[in-house]
């Protein structure tokens, strides 16, 4: 982050009575989790969610549509709106739209958003990596909502970041709304069948899925940390803003900053 961005970010977070967490989100129906989890962190926290234009409609999880959604020029339209709100941190709250072109591009996305919005920035995919590092976990099982090709792209992204994918399964949802419509039992049953490697964690990528309420039951069922997309997104937003507070799962109780 440049010196100019650091100064602007400092002005945005200076008030002792407010710390605004900013999220860029492809509207699919789980936005409420960002508000609920973000504002439960600390009385000073407020949340701003700005929508991002999505490519592909009912087939938005296809790789070529994800690349269009993930384009920095597309994200910049929404990031400029957040800049007016002077956020303390900014998250591109979309897993597939941040991993689709690999680790280097995800980092380039985050750097561009930081410059535009004037605050430290990251994304959901990078937040998964950050959360695993903070928990000291290097091996995972992944239960993805996406079609096979997109699910494999997430596994490749994690591998680039040094994470070992021990088990991978996918639920073949063609879009965020389709994934959001899955019953909770589908995730509970899928996780039970998939299992988790010893000393590992279960990852549930896809910010379209309301998943915060799944963390506790899955951790109890599996006996390991469970990381979901909206959970790690809020956790990383808080970490970048210098906020510590309560949240779902072992990540918020055991993850160090």
């Amino acid at each position: 982050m440049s010196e100019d961005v650091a100064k602007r970010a400092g002005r945005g977070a200076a008030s002792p009575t407010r710390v605004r967490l900013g999220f860029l989100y492809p509207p699919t129906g789980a936005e409420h989790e960002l508000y609920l989890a973000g504002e439960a962190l600390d009385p000073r926290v407020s949340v701003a969610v700005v929508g991002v234009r999505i490519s592909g409609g009912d087939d938005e999880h296809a790789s070529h549509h994800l690349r269009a959604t993930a384009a920095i020029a597309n994200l910049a339209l929404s990031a400029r709106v957040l800049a007016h709100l002077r956020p303390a941190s900014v998250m591109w709250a979309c897993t597939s739209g941040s991993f689709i072109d690999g680790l280097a591009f995800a980092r380039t996305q985050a750097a561009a958003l930081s410059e535009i919005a004037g605050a430290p920035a990251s994304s959901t995919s990078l937040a998964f990596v950050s959360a695993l590092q903070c928990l000291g976990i290097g091996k995972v099982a992944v239960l993805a909502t996406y079609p096979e090709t997109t699910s494999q792209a997430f596994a490749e992204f994690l591998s680039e970041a040094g994470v070992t994918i021990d088990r991978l399964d996918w639920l073949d949802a063609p879009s965020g709304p389709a994934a959001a419509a899955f019953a909770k039992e589908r995730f509970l049953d899928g996780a039970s069948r998939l299992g988790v490697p010893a000393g590992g964690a279960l990852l549930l990528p896809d910010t379209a899925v309301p998943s915060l309420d799944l963390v506790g039951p899955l951790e109890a069922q599996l006996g390991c940390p469970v990381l979901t997309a909206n959970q790690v997104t809020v956790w990383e937003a808080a970490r970048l803003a210098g906020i510590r507070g309560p949240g779902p799962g072992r990540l918020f109780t055991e993850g160090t900053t």
Side-chain angles (χ1 to χ4, degrees):
M1 185 169 63
S2 70
E3 182 179 353
D4 180 59
V5 169
K7 288 179 180 177
R8 284 184 285 151
R11 289 204 303 270
S15 170
T17 60
R18 171 171 293 182
V19 177
R20 179 175 284 121
L21 306 181
F23 299 93
L24 306 179
Y25 184 85
T28 47
E31 295 94 326
H32 62 283
E33 292 205 324
L34 303 177
Y35 286 100
L36 293 175
E39 294 176 356
L41 288 164
D42 188 289
R44 297 172 295 163
V45 170
S46 64
V47 167
V49 179
V50 176
V52 170
R53 183 175 57 191
I54 306 171
S55 174
D58 292 340
D59 192 37
E60 66 189 32
H61 279 167
S63 298
H64 63 291
H65 289 311
L66 288 174
R67 290 189 174 95
T69 298
I72 291 172
N74 185 47
L75 301 183
L77 298 172
S78 301
R80 292 190 188 104
V81 174
L82 272 181
H84 292 292
L85 302 177
R86 298 186 181 274
S89 65
V90 172
M91 293 295 296
W92 168 215
C94 179
T95 324
S96 54
S98 50
F99 69 65
I100 193 60
D101 271 332
L103 182 62
F105 182 69
R107 289 171 173 163
T108 299
Q109 272 185 335
L113 294 176
S114 177
E115 287 294 328
I116 294 166
S122 188
S123 66
T124 302
S125 294
L126 293 173
F128 272 114
V129 174
S130 179
L132 289 168
Q133 290 173 343
C134 285
L135 290 169
I137 294 173
K139 186 179 292 187
V140 300
V142 177
L143 180 59
T145 56
Y146 318 114
E148 179 179 1
T149 299
T150 303
S151 300
Q152 293 287 0
F154 183 50
E156 291 167 9
F157 171 89
L158 293 173
S159 294
E160 281 190 82
V163 178
T164 298
I165 294 80
D166 185 80
R167 305 165 197 192
L168 171 66
D169 198 5
W170 50 88
L171 301 178
D172 211 27
S175 67
F182 288 154
K184 291 183 179 180
E185 288 72 23
R186 189 155 186 184
F187 296 99
L188 295 171
D189 293 345
S192 180
R193 290 193 304 271
L194 184 63
V196 178
L202 174 69
L203 275 54
L204 298 179
D206 199 342
T207 57
V209 176
S211 56
L212 296 182
D213 289 344
L214 287 170
V215 176
L218 281 171
E219 289 192 338
Q221 173 180 304
L222 300 170
C224 71
V226 172
L227 303 179
T228 75
N230 288 329
Q231 173 207 34
V232 300
T233 299
V234 171
W235 176 84
E236 183 77 336
R239 189 184 72 84
L240 291 176
I243 296 291
R244 293 292 300 273
R250 296 189 190 181
L251 175 60
F252 280 87
T253 57
E254 299 176 11
T256 58
T257 58

